[in-house]
């Protein structure tokens, strides 16, 4: 009798497992048979959910890029352009410094004097 | 050069040469988005089916899944990847319960309106696979119909408990966390659901 009770319990447990397996298999099959429309909508939902989190960032980057270009363009248009002045001639620079010229003449004169004495 | 590997547990791992520093938050965020998108692609179909079994309405089920995905990504994407599954199903379960609460309020306020239950769930669905023969399709649809009817007859908590424990394979602890009840309650709901399903399927055969 004890064996019968144990066997009955085991049978019931097995039947539970069979039922559970049957239900899960049917549910797995039902997923495989989802309509293309449902699959497409699920795909779109997923993509939108993920993009929604990072969606603000591309928008910010685009806005930043446009703003930068705008500033660059306006700056290029409005920036005053100074007329470039010709560089002063070296002689003119020297001329503005008479002391330097005198010093140079003195050095040259000293050099010539040294050579003359040697000769 | 930076490359991102996504393991089977959806945890992004970063592979880089010794000279690169992985403090770039842009790269980190992109990897996380790829990882959570992969996770959602794994669970979306089951989640839809769970919601549809509960609500018996395809459109409502899609709305519930959408809300759940958005909530997970917005609020919990920074959590460790191993927590995403129980968190997602917790959100999904919460949305399903909200749906029933709203419907109850609606029916209470507009009691004179007939309930417009959508029985499209039991209609033959468009075959998504070209490999299913007509015989297999009919057999599968019959079985699905029987199983759906059996699940539909279950109280919501037993139904959700069975789907989470048995079909999705969540542990007793995670199922209790998702459903907001004790582990003892989960075991009770699960046991009763199995018994009820067994009786319902035995009758239908």
């Amino acid at each position: 009798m004890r064996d019968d009770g144990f066997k009955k319990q085991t049978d019931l447990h097995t039947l539970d497992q069979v039922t559970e397996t049957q239900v899960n298999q049917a549910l797995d099959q039902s997923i495989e048979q989802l309509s293309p429309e449902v699959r497409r909508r699920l795909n779109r939902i997923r993509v939108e959910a993920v993009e929604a989190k990072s969606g603000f960032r591309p928008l910010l980057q685009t806005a930043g890029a446009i703003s930068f270009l705008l500033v660059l363009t306006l700056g290029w248009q409005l920036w005053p352009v100074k007329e470039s002045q010709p560089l002063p001639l070296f002689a003119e620079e020297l001329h503005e410094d008479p002391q330097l010229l005198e010093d140079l003449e003195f050095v040259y004169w000293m050099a010539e004097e040294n050579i003359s004495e040697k000769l | 050069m930076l490359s991102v590997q996504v393991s089977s547990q959806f945890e992004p791992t970063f592979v880089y040469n010794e000279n690169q520093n992985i403090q770039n938050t842009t790269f980190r965020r992109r990897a996380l988005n790829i990882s959570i998108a992969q996770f959602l692609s794994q669970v979306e179909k089951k989640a839809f089916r769970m919601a549809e079994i509960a609500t018996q309405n395809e459109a409502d089920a899609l709305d519930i899944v959408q809300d759940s995905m958005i909530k997970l990504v917005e609020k919990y994407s920074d959590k460790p990847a191993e927590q995403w599954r129980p968190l997602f199903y917790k959100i999904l379960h919460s949305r399903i319960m909200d749906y029933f609460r709203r419907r109850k309020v609606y029916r209470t306020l507009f009691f004179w309106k007939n309930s417009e239950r959508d029985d499209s769930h039991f209609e033959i669905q468009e075959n998504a696979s070209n490999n299913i023969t007509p015989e297999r399709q009919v057999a599968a649809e019959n079985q699905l119909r029987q199983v759906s009817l059996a699940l539909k007859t279950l109280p919501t908590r037993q139904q959700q408990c069975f789907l989470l424990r048995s079909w999705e394979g969540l542990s007793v602890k995670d199922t209790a966390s998702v459903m907001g009840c004790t582990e003892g309650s989960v075991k009770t709901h699960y046991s009763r659901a199995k018994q009820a399903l067994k009786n319902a399927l035995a009758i239908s055969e």
Side-chain angles (χ1 to χ4, degrees), chain A:
Chain A
M1 256 181 94
R2 191 177 170 182
D3 287 343
D4 288 342
F6 181 73
K7 186 174 180 303
K8 190 177 178 182
Q9 205 169 11
T10 308
D11 288 342
L12 283 172
H13 182 66
T14 306
L15 194 57
D16 276 352
Q17 281 183 322
V18 167
T19 303
E20 198 168 338
T21 305
Q22 184 185 355
V23 171
N24 288 336
Q25 279 177 352
L27 289 169
D28 287 338
Q29 272 183 331
S30 75
I31 284 179
E32 299 301 319
Q33 292 176 358
L34 282 177
S35 66
E37 176 58 28
V38 167
R39 288 169 185 265
R40 269 195 298 273
R41 289 194 64 182
L42 284 172
N43 187 59
R44 192 170 72 231
I45 283 167
R46 174 180 14 100
V47 168
E48 284 174 0
V50 174
E51 281 182 355
K53 182 169 174 61
S54 58
F56 182 68
R57 196 166 178 77
L59 187 67
L60 193 63
Q61 285 177 343
T62 308
I66 291 172
S67 303
F68 178 71
L69 286 173
L70 205 62
V71 166
L72 211 60
T73 308
L74 287 172
W76 183 262
Q77 296 293 326
L78 299 174
W79 197 265
V81 178
K82 295 179 183 177
E83 291 182 5
S84 60
Q85 297 175 358
L87 289 171
L89 295 173
F90 182 67
E92 289 176 356
E93 288 290 337
L94 281 177
H95 183 70
E96 290 176 4
D97 193 356
Q99 185 62 42
L100 179 63
L101 286 174
E102 281 183 16
D103 293 341
L104 276 174
E105 285 177 3
F106 178 73
V107 167
Y108 289 144
W109 178 81
M110 286 290 289
E112 284 176 359
E113 285 295 313
N114 287 335
I115 293 171
S116 301
E117 282 179 6
K118 285 179 183 175
L119 290 176

Side-chain angles (χ1 to χ4, degrees), chain B residues 67-85:
Chain B
D67 286 348
S68 303
M69 283 187 180
I70 289 172
K71 178 94 183 267
L72 179 78
V73 171
E74 279 186 357
K75 305 283 184 191
Y76 302 109
S77 58
D78 56 339
K79 296 286 183 187
E82 60 266 18
Q83 292 182 18
W84 288 346
R85 189 176 297 271

Side-chain angles (χ1 to χ4, degrees), chain B residues 39 43 47 68-69 72 84-92:
Chain B
F39 164 74
V43 298
S68 303
M69 283 187 180
L72 179 78
W84 288 346
R85 189 176 297 271
L87 278 170
F88 176 73
Y89 282 110
K90 187 168 187 175
I91 298 166
L92 183 79

Side-chain angles (χ1 to χ4, degrees), chain B:
Chain B
M1 191 72 179
L2 169 71
S3 64
V4 176
Q5 294 175 354
V6 182
S7 70
S8 60
Q9 296 302 321
F10 309 106
E11 190 70 50
T13 57
F14 302 95
V15 178
Y16 54 97
N17 61 38
E18 291 173 353
N19 297 328
Q20 264 188 321
N21 193 345
I22 202 68
Q23 287 177 350
N24 192 326
T25 55
T26 303
F27 282 137
R28 194 187 299 273
R29 187 173 289 115
R30 276 176 63 188
L32 189 65
N33 285 348
I34 292 168
S35 183
I36 201 162
Q38 284 185 322
F39 164 74
L40 290 175
S41 70
Q42 292 278 329
V43 298
E44 62 190 16
K45 294 184 183 67
K46 269 191 179 176
F48 167 75
R49 186 57 84 201
M50 279 187 193
E52 196 193 20
I53 287 170
T55 62
Q56 297 298 303
N57 185 291
E58 185 180 286
D60 288 338
L62 284 167
D63 286 343
I64 286 171
V65 171
Q66 183 175 20
D67 286 348
S68 303
M69 283 187 180
I70 289 172
K71 178 94 183 267
L72 179 78
V73 171
E74 279 186 357
K75 305 283 184 191
Y76 302 109
S77 58
D78 56 339
K79 296 286 183 187
E82 60 266 18
Q83 292 182 18
W84 288 346
R85 189 176 297 271
L87 278 170
F88 176 73
Y89 282 110
K90 187 168 187 175
I91 298 166
L92 183 79
H93 180 77
S94 174
R95 288 288 181 271
I96 290 172
M97 292 297 113
D98 287 344
Y99 167 85
F100 282 116
R101 275 191 281 271
R102 283 198 305 272
R103 198 170 74 166
K104 190 177 176 182
V105 170
Y106 178 84
R107 285 181 174 175
T108 305
L109 289 174
F110 303 100
F111 59 90
W112 64 88
K113 286 189 177 180
N114 294 327
S115 61
E116 295 172 357
R117 174 165 282 183
D118 183 10
D119 290 329
S120 62
H121 173 74
F122 300 110
E123 291 174 2
I124 295 174
Q125 291 183 355
E126 188 179 341
N127 184 5
S129 169
N130 293 326
N131 294 326
I132 295 181
T133 63
E135 292 77 21
R136 278 191 209 167
Q137 182 178 352
V138 169
E141 283 163 1
N142 283 338
Q143 191 181 27
L144 175 60
R145 192 176 288 113
Q146 286 171 9
V147 165
S148 297
L149 278 168
L151 283 167
K152 182 189 164 186
T153 59
L154 293 178
T156 306
R157 288 186 79 78
Q158 286 182 21
Q159 180 195 91
Q160 291 297 304
C161 183
F162 178 85
L163 291 170
L164 291 166
R165 273 287 288 137
S166 180
W167 193 32
E168 181 53 36
L170 293 183
S171 65
V172 173
K173 184 182 173 187
D174 284 342
T175 306
S177 171
V178 166
M179 293 181 64
C181 62
T182 62
E183 291 184 22
S185 295
V186 167
K187 290 176 185 173
T188 304
H189 289 316
Y190 185 47
S191 172
R192 289 178 180 171
K194 281 195 295 184
Q195 186 63 39
L197 284 170
K198 190 173 66 180
N199 294 339
L201 291 172
I203 291 170
S204 63
E205 282 174 0

